[in-house]
Amino acid sequence: MAGISATDVKALRDQSGAGMMDCKRALTDADGDLTRATELLRERGLSKAGKRAGRATSEGTIGIAIVGTSAAIIELGCETDFVAKTDDFQGLAQDIVEALASSDADESPEKALELSLGDETIGQRITDRIATLGENIELKRVARLSVGSGTASGYVHAGGKLGVIVGLAGSGDLDAVGKDIAMHVAATDPTPVAIDRKGVPADQLEAERRVLRAQAEQSGKPANVIEKMVEGRLNKFYTEHCLLEQPFVKDPDKSVGAMLKDLAGDATITGFVRFKLGEAAES
């Protein structure tokens, strides 16, 4: 176990919820690669798939704004929950996200800081509030969705701890449907990783396939049977992680896709973004 630091073991333990010795073993077998060690714990049935226990968190708020057919979402961080709840801080977050929703800026905090906010930039306004509130304030994440012909919707949950924006293409009044989908994305565990199967990132799909194959191989069954097992379990993965295939939170007997068809005909989801307070600290 030489070369495996206590810091790495703790990080893996916090992320996976597995025991210390199991984490040490996995890191040793993975030559210190945290990602591979996480996969090994899953293969060995020692980690909760897709869960991350003990996530690092920070104070602040998630803000959303809808301007026309565009939606924006930000994570604005500060040092204490006391400041996060003040009208000054909440007002700052709303001003920033409305400016972002009204712009066509690149989706990066650095570019957002250069946007105009009255007679100053967002960056200057933040600097002013740092002096006023006496705490460091940081624009951690920003994202925008723009729908050419359709509706942008959003939802903020748990007093600004979690927010979602959604874009829907189609005709008619889609606002209520969009809010329902945003609420679904906020409430669902596991969080969807893509709208449909085509959108699942290739590297994530391959990693899942490796884990499922390793688990299936432990059964000792023939290779052709193992492949069928893997494909069957991948279908379950898709059902759990693709938005359109997930059971709709308000009516679990229907998928989100079926609900969308019932309520909005040929409307399609063009995109969604989900921010949870504190997640930016991990990246």
Side-chain angles (χ1 to χ4, degrees), residues 87-124:
D87 291 343
D88 274 354
F89 185 83
Q90 291 293 326
L92 173 64
Q94 197 59 37
D95 287 345
I96 292 171
V97 75
E98 286 177 4
L100 183 66
S102 301
S103 78
D104 56 359
D106 292 339
E107 293 180 13
S108 73
E110 294 76 21
K111 290 293 184 182
L113 292 174
E114 299 172 2
L115 291 175
S116 294
L117 200 54
D119 296 331
E120 56 191 347
T121 65
I122 287 175
Q124 290 167 336

Side-chain angles (χ1 to χ4, degrees), residues 23-199:
C23 290
K24 280 186 176 179
R25 227 171 270 117
L27 280 164
T28 300
D29 293 344
D31 295 324
D33 185 318
L34 185 61
T35 300
R36 179 56 186 149
T38 302
E39 289 184 4
L40 287 174
L41 287 174
R42 289 188 59 200
E43 291 171 8
R44 295 166 184 176
L46 299 170
S47 174
K48 296 178 181 179
K51 305 284 185 179
R52 291 186 177 183
R55 296 179 71 116
T57 57
S58 60
E59 301 303 334
T61 194
I62 304 297
I64 67 168
I66 313 297
V67 177
T69 58
S70 293
I73 184 169
I74 64 168
E75 178 178 0
L76 188 67
C78 62
E79 296 179 38
T80 65
D81 185 54
F82 175 79
V83 164
K85 291 177 179 177
T86 63
D87 291 343
D88 274 354
F89 185 83
Q90 291 293 326
L92 173 64
Q94 197 59 37
D95 287 345
I96 292 171
V97 75
E98 286 177 4
L100 183 66
S102 301
S103 78
D104 56 359
D106 292 339
E107 293 180 13
S108 73
E110 294 76 21
K111 290 293 184 182
L113 292 174
E114 299 172 2
L115 291 175
S116 294
L117 200 54
D119 296 331
E120 56 191 347
T121 65
I122 287 175
Q124 290 167 336
R125 180 74 62 86
I126 289 175
T127 300
D128 290 344
R129 289 299 182 271
I130 289 172
T132 302
L133 296 171
E135 285 193 8
N136 188 32
I137 297 171
E138 180 185 3
L139 184 57
K140 294 187 157 189
R141 289 186 290 173
V142 304
R144 292 177 65 254
L145 289 176
S146 187
V147 187
S149 176
T151 299
S153 298
Y155 172 71
V156 176
H157 181 67
K161 303 294 185 184
L162 176 65
V164 177
I165 54 174
V166 172
L168 287 174
S171 58
D173 185 4
L174 301 175
D175 189 54
V177 178
K179 286 179 180 175
D180 274 350
I181 293 172
M183 289 176 64
H184 169 92
V185 174
T188 302
D189 183 14
T191 302
V193 300
I195 297 171
D196 54 25
R197 298 188 180 199
K198 294 181 293 184

Side-chain angles (χ1 to χ4, degrees), residues 141-274:
R141 289 186 290 173
V142 304
R144 292 177 65 254
L145 289 176
S146 187
V147 187
S149 176
T151 299
S153 298
Y155 172 71
V156 176
H157 181 67
K161 303 294 185 184
L162 176 65
V164 177
I165 54 174
V166 172
L168 287 174
S171 58
D173 185 4
L174 301 175
D175 189 54
V177 178
K179 286 179 180 175
D180 274 350
I181 293 172
M183 289 176 64
H184 169 92
V185 174
T188 302
D189 183 14
T191 302
V193 300
I195 297 171
D196 54 25
R197 298 188 180 199
K198 294 181 293 184
V200 177
D203 57 345
Q204 183 172 356
L205 184 59
E206 184 53 36
E208 189 66 22
R209 193 185 295 274
R210 282 200 306 270
V211 169
L212 295 177
R213 181 172 288 107
Q215 290 175 343
E217 285 172 349
Q218 294 174 19
S219 68
K221 293 183 178 178
N224 64 321
V225 175
I226 287 173
E227 286 306 310
K228 290 180 180 178
M229 291 171 65
V230 170
E231 292 307 312
R233 292 174 184 177
L234 270 181
N235 282 330
K236 185 173 186 294
F237 169 83
Y238 284 131
T239 300
E240 291 177 343
H241 292 83
C242 294
L243 176 56
L244 290 175
E245 297 190 34
Q246 290 183 321
F248 181 45
V249 288
K250 286 188 172 182
D251 184 358
D253 291 333
K254 288 185 178 180
S255 68
V256 171
M259 178 278 296
L260 182 62
K261 186 174 182 180
D262 287 348
L263 297 180
D266 60 355
T268 58
I269 301 172
T270 62
F272 67 91
V273 181
R274 181 186 193 268

